[in-house]
Amino acid sequence: MTLKEKYQPIIDAATQAGANLQVTEQNDVLYIQGEVPSGAVKDKLWEVYGSIDPTFSAGDLVLDVNAAVAEGGKVRVITKQSNLNIRKGPGTDQPIVGKAAKDEIITLVSKSNDQWWLVRTNDGEEGYSYAAYLEPLA
Amino acid sequence: MKKFQIISMLAIVLLLAGFTSCKPKDADIQKAVETAIAANPDAADVVATVEKGVVTLTGEVKDEAASVAINGIAAGVKNVKSVVNDLTIAPPVVSAVDSAIQEGLVDALKDHSSVNATVLDGVITLTGEITKADLPKLMQKVNALKPVKIDNQLTVK
């Protein structure tokens, strides 16, 4: 079975959701990259991935998909339970300039950095937050 | 005397004609080369042209090994004098920078204190332990760092 066949259910789920992902294979690793319409679709793809490789340990797939969100759009804070730190610059070494509560909906200002998005809280605090804890609202 | 001249000239003409017809035609060589390299799946974007028995290969292949292999196939075709290899190597899908991944890992692992990660040549190696619930969350963050590969050796608790 080729890698593409192995992970075809992920590609199929993305296609069904209307996402057109880039699929490439190099040195026995399959790369699925691109943008999906929402955070829910991203979660779905990861669920499918988990059903193929429950421990995510085969080492033959890099699944790098992001939920589409326009700058100026709304994102939900999806931390486990704590507040989300908003920092002066992109990085955990940067001073904290504000916080957003779990499940709070805040505004995405800029995605110029892949991992750290510039956000603005409803109180007008602006700074960088870790993108993995922000879920775009469809 | 004149008769002899005509005969000898005729002989020369015939000889020349015969020689030319024996000489392999570039078009035929090209066809043979195209057929030969078509058998190699990496040669889908390769174009072969032939001039005076010299084959020129152009187009893009995935790596150096494919370039050498296709060059060899072309060189082995009958009547090919030599091969000019103008094939280009496709740029890598991911060109990971360890320092950038390393920086990203610091942030990605912040909430997963029982996980260790190292990066070498774009390959992220994860060791330590993690809960089943946290594993997909960590993997999403790590996959987003654009690694070449993820070697997940985590123990799932």
Side-chain angles (χ1 to χ4, degrees), chain A residues 26-92:
Chain A
Q26 194 169 47
N27 297 325
D28 300 323
V29 178
L30 191 72
Y31 299 86
I32 302 179
Q33 296 159 312
E35 209 165 65
V36 292
S38 68
V41 175
K42 179 181 171 175
D43 290 344
K44 172 76 191 159
L45 299 191
W46 274 90
E47 199 187 303
V48 176
Y49 182 11
S51 67
I52 299 170
D53 180 3
T55 52
F56 304 100
S57 58
D60 54 6
L61 175 68
V62 172
L63 179 61
D64 180 16
V65 288
N66 288 306
V69 55
E71 290 177 355
K74 297 287 182 189
V75 289
R76 186 198 307 272
V77 176
I78 49 162
T79 46
K80 241 187 290 179
Q81 63 236 177
S82 54
N83 289 333
L84 177 68
N85 288 329
I86 298 173
R87 295 174 183 272
K88 194 177 175 191
T92 41

Side-chain angles (χ1 to χ4, degrees), chain A residues 22 24-27 29 31 33 42-43 46 49 54-64 66 80 85 87 91-92 114-116 130 132-133, chain B residues 62-63 90-94 104 106-112 132 134-137 139-141 143-153 156:
Chain A
Q22 193 196 338
T24 37
E25 189 179 332
Q26 194 169 47
N27 297 325
V29 178
Y31 299 86
Q33 296 159 312
K42 179 181 171 175
D43 290 344
W46 274 90
Y49 182 11
T55 52
F56 304 100
S57 58
D60 54 6
L61 175 68
V62 172
L63 179 61
D64 180 16
N66 288 306
K80 241 187 290 179
N85 288 329
R87 295 174 183 272
T92 41
D114 260 359
Q115 261 78 52
W116 290 87
Y130 198 51
Y133 296 120
Chain B
K62 63 169 187 172
D63 54 24
V93 181
V94 275
V106 173
D107 302 331
L109 296 184
K110 195 177 149 259
D111 288 352
H112 309 277
K132 198 168 178 7
D134 276 351
L135 179 62
K137 288 175 198 161
M139 290 307 284
Q140 287 193 21
K141 290 181 227 169
N143 275 260
L145 299 175
K146 311 211 179 306
V148 168
K149 185 181 166 168
I150 300 163
D151 183 6
N152 173 10
Q153 301 174 5
V156 181

Side-chain angles (χ1 to χ4, degrees), chain B residues 58-119:
Chain B
T58 51
E60 200 174 76
V61 291
K62 63 169 187 172
D63 54 24
E64 188 61 39
S67 171
V68 171
I70 294 161
N71 190 98
I73 294 168
V77 172
K78 202 181 160 203
N79 296 322
V80 169
K81 281 184 194 156
S82 63
V83 178
V84 178
N85 187 345
D86 279 344
L87 294 173
T88 51
I89 311 293
V93 181
V94 275
S95 52
V97 182
D98 286 354
S99 59
I101 293 177
Q102 190 73 60
E103 229 167 83
L105 277 172
V106 173
D107 302 331
L109 296 184
K110 195 177 149 259
D111 288 352
H112 309 277
S113 54
S114 59
V115 175
N116 287 307
T118 53
V119 58

